[in-house]
Amino acid sequence: PRGLDPRAVAVQEDPAAAARTADKKLQIRQKAAYDFAMGPGKNLFGTGLMLWFSGSQINIFSLSFLGMAMWNPIRSILGLNAAFTQFEGHGIDLVMPKLIYFGLQLVALGMGVYKLGVMGLLPVTSADWTNYLTRHTFAEEGPPPVL
């Protein structure tokens, strides 16, 4: 009616309905955290395809693709806690979403490391380390051979 102050009328809410609403909001936030954690998995196919199309020869294009394929997961792993700050403070358990996010970033980093190995840029054979072998100097010298 006219002149009724809506603040004067107390609305009776069911406590069970309020609990269900809070629980539903928590589930929605938890699902959003899991969706965010699965985001890097959606990029794995594109990254793999890009690395495959770049070839195994060493040129500026393949190195730039490889650099981005290596740098993006490293940067994401270092900024892991900052990436999940939007979900903190709502009573959500973020351990599992963070582990999923971290694992998917490691898979992406592994793809880059595999590509480094295919291109021959990883020092994995003993010939790659011969520069670090010490040269032996002999303390004794024998006479020259006599013919």
Side-chain angles (χ1 to χ4, degrees):
R2 178 180 257 176
L4 177 65
D5 187 13
R7 292 174 288 170
V9 178
V11 178
Q12 297 290 332
E13 290 188 17
D14 184 22
R20 283 192 303 265
T21 304
D23 189 40
K24 194 170 201 171
K25 285 182 182 179
L26 183 66
Q27 288 176 351
I28 290 171
R29 288 183 180 135
Q30 186 77 29
K31 185 178 181 323
Y34 273 102
D35 288 343
F36 182 77
M38 295 296 282
K42 298 173 187 173
N43 297 331
L44 289 177
F45 179 74
T47 302
L49 196 65
M50 178 185 68
L51 290 174
W52 180 53
F53 282 155
S54 68
S56 61
Q57 296 178 350
I58 299 175
N59 56 42
I60 190 69
F61 298 111
S62 61
L63 288 178
S64 65
F65 289 148
L66 184 60
M68 290 307 292
M70 296 291 289
W71 178 246
N72 286 338
I74 291 171
R75 186 176 52 188
S76 295
I77 288 171
L78 293 176
L80 178 73
N81 288 327
F84 281 91
T85 55
Q86 60 185 345
F87 302 109
E88 291 178 353
H90 297 291
I92 300 172
D93 183 25
L94 293 176
V95 173
M96 201 61 191
K98 284 183 178 182
L99 285 175
I100 291 171
Y101 186 82
F102 182 73
L104 289 173
Q105 295 297 344
L106 283 181
V107 169
L109 189 62
M111 289 169 61
V113 170
Y114 174 75
K115 183 66 175 183
L116 280 173
V118 167
M119 292 176 76
L121 297 175
L122 283 181
V124 292
T125 63
S126 60
D128 295 326
W129 300 97
T130 55
N131 192 29
Y132 296 106
L133 294 176
T134 58
R135 293 185 178 247
H136 295 289
T137 56
F138 297 103
E140 300 176 3
E141 291 186 20
V146 178
L147 296 174

